[in-house]
Structure formats: structure tokens, C-alpha cells
Amino acid sequence: MDAELFDCLQVNLAAHADRLHGAGTHLLLGAGLRFRPAPGPLGLPTVERGVHAQLTEATRRLGLVAGEPHTAASAADLTPADGCYVVADAFHLPWVPYYRQRHMEHSFLLENDGTDGVLIRDSYHNETPWGIARPGRWTLTRQEFAAAVPGPALAVRLGAGHGVPAAAVPEADFADPHTVDAYADAYRQHPDRTAALRQLTLETWLLARDRELHTAYLRHTGRLPGGDAPQAHLTAWRKLTEQVYLAHRRVERGRPEPQGLTDRLAALLHADPAVFGHGAGPAAPAARPPRPRTPGVPEELRRAVAATAARVLGTDEATLLAGAAFDSVPSFSSFRVVEIVERLESELGIEFAADDLAPENLHHVDAVCRVVQRSNDGGAPRALALDGEGR
């Protein structure tokens, strides 16, 4: 199962459906594509869906039967069993990177380990500012589990419905164009830019994953429209997610944000119906063209940029100097891009211009060098002192 397609509430519903009905069942959760924002935190609209909505969708599509959800006061009130789906506070869960970092709902499957402990199954796959989350199994003692769930948690017993679920007809539920524009405007106009971009980071992450999952379903069932438009559209969503996260980090540090983020968001949302074959709509927006090549990039600067990027990505400097894209390296993510930018700014004594913080400027050594040369109003970067390992 490609766990990267799911959020932290969906993923363990999808994983359990595969265990019950066979590999590939999880893709049925991608049959529907929707954009129906609801009121969210700080007066901002959100596409995030709570656990009850996720359970309803999963039981409808994945051949699952869900018992009555109940709230347990603590770990002592949870009974491990096959199909015991639990949603608790990630802040206390030691196997996820949110542990003691962030309060948020997170799901897992709770089973007996055959002894006096408990077995945790969690298929979540994500990159975070605090480390990586990867699918796995963890055995906890009862004491460790009590510390992991010290407060209320939601628990649901999942079972198999009758028969193997059949592939559904693709469904679409898109809001009207006015709602799309109002959604983007809410994030554009919100006065607290740090809070707005923090929430927009989550929004674009969820929107991009939904579209990746829907594409995987359409491809699996032979219904994906032909041509390059679907893949180009997904690439544009990934790049927007990366740019929004980078903008959030910059604004957190008191720096200006790039312009045009919400325009790109609205354009991608308007293009969704046509790209995925669900009706008329504008063509997918073209990627922003790269900046004109700046002649005369010093080899010393190329080596410095490649050395920094290679250290962050855990790859070979020569590979990047030869032209390999940063996003071709397995460890690449938006978090690594932010780290590359921040390290270069510190090492070279520069500040990247806000409008240069677009993915097309940050995925290759030479593109980054051009940004460096444009930084600080064209001022030269701090003198470079290179040794055999880079800086």
C-alpha cells in the first residue's frame, strides 16, 4: 500500500481494509474527489475532515463495518483487539515524530501482542519538521501504553462487510467557482500571515494528497484521462505545497512572503474538474517558467551550493553538479528545501528574495546559484572558503 496517499486518520482505515479484503482495496477510498471547505480555525475555511466523516467514507467505500464509536477516558479503558481503531493525541505517542511536539489527532490500530503488552500498528507515512513517520509495528508494555494515552481517546471496532467491495464509479463534489475564489481570498486577506500560512500548509498538503489518491484510483481502474495533463497537474500541486511551506517558514522568521500563492491555489482548484475528467473547466495552469539563465556563475559558487545541498539530502555532490534535480533524490521533501535555503543564507551571508522562493528556482544547483546571485539586490555573497568536503 502506498501510505503516502493518506492522511493520519485515513491511513489505518485503508490499511485494515487491505488486511480484510486484499491488496488494492485501499484505492477505493480515492473514488471520490471533493472540494467542500467548511468553517475552520481562526475564521479560515478548511478541507480537513474529522474522524467521524472519515469513518463514514471508509465504511461506504472500503467494505468495513464500524461499531459504535466510544470515548475512552484513558488507556485503561481501551481493549486491544483485531480491528480496534483508535484516535488519540499524537503529542503523547512515542512512535510518531509529533511526540511532545504537537497536539493533533492521530490514528492507530490496537491489538494484543500475545503477552501482557499491546501491539500498535500504524501505517502513517510523512515527513515532518521533527523527523519522519513510517509505517510499522511497535510493542508497548501496559505501562508504556498508559503513558501514550493518558487522556481521552476515540475507539471504534472495525470488521468486514459482506463480500469484497466492488470498484465504484468515480465521483466528484466540487464547490462552485465563487466558493473557490472565496476560499483563496480568505487566506490571501487574513491579517495574521503566520497563522494563515501555517493553516494553508496543512490545506495544500491535504488537497494534494486527495488528488494523488484520486489519480491512483483512476489509474487503477483504467479511467485516468489520457495525455500529460493529470501528471502535470499533480506536479503543480506538489510544488504549491512546497512553496507554501517555505513561505510559512519565512514569515515565521519575520521575512516577506512570496506573492501569488493564493492565485496559484485558486487556479489549481478551478482546473481540477477538467483535469480529472469530471466536467468542463479551465486548463491546468502551466508551471511558472524558470528565470532566464544568469551567465558567468562561478564554479566556486556551484560547488558551495552543491556541497550544502548534498549534505542536506544525503547524496553525492558530484551527482548534483552534473545536473541531477534535488527532487530526484529519495530523501527530498519540502523540509529539505527549507533547510538548504536556510543553510545557504547563513553560510553565504545573503537573503533570498521572497519572489524567488518558487520550486522551479530551488531544485537544481544552477537555478539556486542564479537566485544567490540575485540576492541582496545583486550584492556579492560572502567570500567562499572551500575545503575538500565543501565549506
Side-chain angles (χ1 to χ4, degrees):
M1 187 179 86
D2 186 355
E4 291 184 85
L5 297 173
F6 301 94
D7 66 34
C8 64
L9 298 181
Q10 293 173 318
V11 69
N12 291 306
L13 296 168
H16 194 62
D18 268 24
R19 289 176 66 191
L20 293 175
H21 297 299
T25 305
H26 63 278
L27 290 173
L28 297 176
L29 207 52
L33 183 63
R34 69 195 306 271
F35 176 72
R36 290 288 174 183
L42 304 173
L44 291 165
T46 183
V47 295
E48 187 173 18
R49 305 175 73 193
V51 62
H52 294 285
Q54 300 279 25
L55 280 167
T56 298
E57 183 82 353
T59 54
R60 183 164 77 94
R61 297 194 184 279
L62 297 180
L64 297 176
V65 175
E68 186 67 26
H70 70 279
T71 300
S74 67
D77 297 320
L78 291 170
T79 302
D82 184 48
C84 180
Y85 173 84
V86 179
V87 176
D89 186 352
F91 187 84
H92 303 290
L93 304 179
W95 63 89
V96 296
Y98 306 112
Y99 179 58
R100 296 189 175 175
Q101 296 289 346
R102 184 177 175 188
H103 293 282
M104 59 178 289
E105 289 186 330
H106 188 85
S107 77
F108 57 91
L109 295 166
L110 175 66
E111 302 176 6
N112 288 302
D113 75 338
T115 65
D116 291 333
V118 298
L119 175 64
I120 304 295
R121 293 181 186 267
D122 188 353
S123 295
Y124 190 51
H125 186 295
N126 196 23
E127 307 285 330
T128 82
W130 309 285
I132 62 172
R134 291 293 183 267
R137 295 160 35 124
W138 294 266
T139 299
L140 275 61
T141 66
R142 288 287 179 169
Q143 185 176 8
E144 290 170 334
F145 185 57
V149 187
L154 184 77
V156 183
R157 183 71 180 272
L158 301 174
H162 297 295
V164 177
V169 175
E171 299 174 11
D173 183 16
F174 297 118
D176 60 86
H178 173 75
T179 301
V180 170
D181 292 336
Y183 174 81
D185 285 343
Y187 285 92
R188 179 187 297 114
Q189 298 167 3
H190 196 277
D192 187 337
R193 300 313 301 155
T194 300
L197 288 169
R198 180 188 305 115
Q199 181 64 28
L200 190 57
T201 298
L202 172 62
E203 296 293 306
T204 52
W205 183 84
L206 291 169
L207 288 164
R209 282 208 174 190
D210 282 350
R211 280 136 188 83
E212 297 271 6
L213 177 57
H214 189 58
T215 299
Y217 172 80
L218 293 176
R219 183 180 295 112
H220 180 70
T221 57
R223 295 184 171 99
L224 185 67
D228 298 331
Q231 190 55 51
H233 192 61
L234 292 183
T235 298
W237 271 110
R238 293 185 203 112
K239 289 183 175 181
L240 177 63
T241 301
E242 178 185 320
Q243 191 178 14
V244 169
Y245 176 68
L246 183 55
H248 170 233
R249 285 291 297 264
R250 306 291 283 183
V251 171
E252 270 191 323
R253 299 171 63 188
R255 296 181 178 180
E257 67 183 91
Q259 299 302 303
L261 292 178
T262 52
D263 292 337
R264 295 173 92 168
L265 171 64
L268 288 170
L269 288 169
H270 282 304
D272 277 341
V275 169
F276 293 113
H278 295 305
R288 177 177 166 184
R291 300 269 189 155
R293 182 174 182 84
T294 303
V297 176
E299 186 61 24
E300 185 182 29
L301 177 57
R302 294 187 76 248
R303 289 173 54 209
V305 169
T308 296
R311 288 198 301 273
V312 172
L313 297 172
T315 192
D316 179 58
E317 179 181 337
T319 300
L320 301 182
L321 283 170
F326 297 170
D327 57 3
S328 68
V329 180
S331 63
F332 176 87
S333 71
S334 56
F335 301 105
R336 303 292 80 78
V337 171
V338 169
E339 188 175 351
I340 291 168
V341 168
E342 292 179 351
R343 284 197 185 192
L344 286 172
E345 287 184 323
S346 174
E347 293 170 359
L348 301 180
I350 60 171
E351 180 174 329
F352 283 33
D355 286 342
D356 272 332
L357 300 176
E360 54 267 25
N361 294 330
L362 303 174
H363 286 190
H364 295 84
V365 166
D366 287 327
V368 173
C369 287
R370 294 193 290 270
V371 174
V372 170
Q373 290 186 307
R374 290 194 296 269
S375 299
N376 287 356
D377 296 323
R382 180 186 297 152
L384 304 175
L386 299 178
D387 57 30
E389 296 181 352
R391 284 190 58 77

